[in-house]
């Protein structure tokens, strides 16, 4: 993990939808988190293969090239311990389960809101 | 016109859009994200939504006109549109997408065609209404006022 109590948290937004990426990045910025964005799971894996400077990853489920489940599994296999939050507009118990099995720390239904994101940050990064 | 009158008009119009379900709470969330560092945030995100949706609607119409309908492709497009509409708070468009996906799942072409018509209608409606809302905002700013702050429901 890159941050300590004196530095800003850094998050990676992984989503193929530019509208959602824009909103998620803005929400993170508003909450004092620095944010980077990539278009799909493969881009996230490639990025984290070189260097992991992230404290949090917001991982979408359905994406082209590599979806969120595959990307999460690969990241965990690579030894990445960063908090990963699975996101999907399909809020079924099944989706939550497959996401958790893939290795995410938590699952949140889309669209992400200020309240939902704030509670994630409080839950995992109390300081 | 006095900016206060314009602001009152804006609030009434906004409330009506929420009351009619054309916009939902998520749109208010978007507005709360707008600040000095990104004064056009809502307009930018909504413009992206308009452009993206227009492309998806075109692809959907093309896919539905094929002699053999590929419901998986249609469902993927509708899923995308559902996500975008839900992110910007276009409530009615999102509702139509949910019904559209049900018709896809049942491979019901008639249902899909009906949903397509509804989608065109609701998309035009939200686009028209939001464009009017943005025009009102420009008028308020030009008259020296600021965009009213709207409260989120608890």
């Amino acid at each position: 993990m890159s941050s300590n109590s004196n530095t800003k948290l850094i998050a990676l937004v992984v989503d193929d939808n530019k509208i959602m990426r824009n909103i998620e990045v803005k929400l993170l910025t508003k909450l004092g988190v620095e944010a980077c964005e990539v278009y799909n799971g493969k881009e996230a894996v490639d990025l984290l293969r070189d260097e992991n400077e992230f404290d949090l990853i917001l991982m979408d489920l359905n994406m082209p090239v590599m979806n969120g489940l595959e990307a999460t599994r690969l990241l965990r296999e690579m030894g990445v311990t960063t908090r990963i939050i699975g996101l999907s507009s399909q809020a079924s118990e099944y989706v939550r389960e497959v996401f958790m099995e893939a290795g995410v720390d938590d699952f949140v239904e889309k669209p992400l809101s200020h309240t939902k994101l704030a509670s994630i940050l409080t839950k995992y990064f109390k300081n | 016109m006095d900016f206060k009158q314009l602001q009152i008009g804006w609030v009434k119009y906004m409330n009506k859009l929420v009351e009619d379900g054309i916009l939902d709470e998520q749109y208010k969330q978007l507005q709360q994200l707008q600040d000095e560092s990104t004064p056009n945030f809502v307009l930018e995100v909504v413009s992206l939504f308009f452009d993206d949706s227009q492309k998806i609607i075109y692809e959907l119409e093309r896919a539905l006109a094929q002699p053999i309908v590929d419901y998986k492709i249609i469902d993927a497009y509708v899923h995308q549109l559902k996500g975008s509409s839900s992110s910007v708070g276009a409530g009615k468009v999102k509702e139509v997408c949910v019904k559209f996906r049900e018709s896809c799942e049942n491979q019901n072409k008639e249902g899909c065609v009906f949903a397509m018509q509804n989608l065109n209608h609701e998309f035009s409606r939200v686009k028209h209404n939001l464009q009017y809302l943005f025009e009102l905002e420009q008028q308020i700013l030009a008259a020296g006022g600021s965009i009213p702050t709207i409260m989120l429901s608890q």
Side-chain angles (χ1 to χ4, degrees):
Chain A
M1 185 141 93
S2 71
S3 69
N4 57 48
S5 57
N6 299 318
T7 59
K8 257 187 169 184
L9 291 173
I10 307 177
L12 178 67
V13 173
V14 190
D15 203 312
D16 61 317
N17 187 315
K18 194 170 188 321
I19 299 167
M20 296 200 193
R21 280 204 312 272
N22 281 4
I23 296 173
E24 286 165 21
V25 166
K26 185 70 185 168
L27 278 167
L28 286 160
T29 312
K30 278 259 182 191
L31 285 162
V33 179
E34 207 174 296
C36 298
E37 50 184 302
V38 290
Y39 176 78
N40 61 48
K42 186 175 184 303
E43 286 186 4
V45 170
D46 289 345
L47 185 66
L48 272 85
R49 208 187 293 276
D50 295 335
E51 196 182 348
N52 180 12
E53 54 172 352
F54 300 102
D55 304 293
L56 174 71
I57 299 171
L58 299 180
M59 182 73 78
D60 182 32
L61 175 62
N62 293 311
M63 292 178 283
V65 187
M66 187 186 288
N67 67 32
L69 298 177
E70 213 181 328
T72 302
R73 273 188 218 110
L74 269 172
L75 289 172
R76 293 305 187 214
E77 278 169 28
M78 283 158 54
V80 173
T81 54
T82 307
R83 298 280 187 201
I84 304 178
I85 310 298
L87 298 175
S88 174
S89 54
Q90 298 158 261
S92 66
E93 200 45 48
Y94 172 74
V95 171
R96 172 183 286 275
E97 269 172 32
V98 290
F99 243 140
M100 296 305 281
E101 275 168 22
V104 299
D105 293 280
D106 219 328
F107 170 77
V108 175
E109 185 188 358
K110 278 187 178 180
L112 197 61
S113 66
H114 186 277
T115 317
K116 287 180 194 172
L117 188 55
S119 78
I120 289 167
L121 295 176
T122 309
K123 185 171 174 185
Y124 295 107
F125 309 96
K126 281 177 187 156
N127 297 323
Chain B
M1 198 190 288
D2 176 43
F3 74 77
K4 282 187 182 158
Q5 287 302 312
L6 289 165
Q7 284 173 327
I8 292 168
W10 184 93
V11 170
K12 278 186 182 166
Y13 196 74
M14 181 72 199
N15 286 342
K16 181 85 175 82
L17 293 182
V18 174
E19 204 181 289
D20 292 347
I22 295 169
L23 296 180
D24 59 29
E25 286 294 308
Q26 183 63 22
Y27 186 79
K28 295 183 184 176
Q29 290 266 357
L30 266 195
Q31 287 194 312
Q32 303 219 330
L33 289 178
Q34 188 157 285
D35 53 25
E36 293 106 16
S37 68
T38 48
N40 296 316
F41 182 73
V42 177
L43 182 65
E44 282 168 15
V45 169
V46 169
S47 299
L48 264 178
F49 168 67
F50 289 160
D51 293 347
D52 255 31
S53 307
Q54 208 82 66
K55 283 178 201 153
I56 291 174
I57 286 172
Y58 171 78
E59 292 299 338
L60 279 171
E61 277 172 342
R62 229 167 57 129
L64 268 176
Q66 299 301 310
I68 297 166
V69 174
D70 187 334
Y71 291 99
K72 270 192 177 172
I73 287 183
I74 293 178
D75 187 59
Y77 281 127
V78 180
H79 173 72
Q80 226 175 304
L81 189 54
K82 182 180 161 259
S84 305
S85 55
S86 134
S87 293
V88 298
K92 286 280 178 193
V93 173
K94 182 187 149 192
E95 272 177 31
V96 173
C97 287
V98 171
K99 288 193 177 135
F100 207 147
R101 292 195 77 190
E102 282 170 15
S103 295
C104 275
E105 209 173 298
N106 299 326
Q107 307 212 336
N108 172 1
K109 185 166 180 186
E110 213 173 287
C112 286
V113 170
F114 182 65
M116 188 72 235
Q117 287 167 353
N118 283 340
L119 182 58
N120 269 315
H121 172 71
E122 291 302 343
F123 175 68
S124 302
R125 196 152 73 124
V126 74
K127 188 174 178 180
H128 170 82
N129 285 308
L130 281 172
Q131 281 171 338
Y132 179 71
L133 203 65
F134 294 146
E135 276 170 29
L136 263 180
E137 290 176 2
Q138 289 309 311
Q139 289 174 30
I140 293 170
L141 295 173
S146 58
I147 313 299
T149 309
I150 41 174
M151 300 302 289
L152 291 168
S153 305
Q154 291 306 304

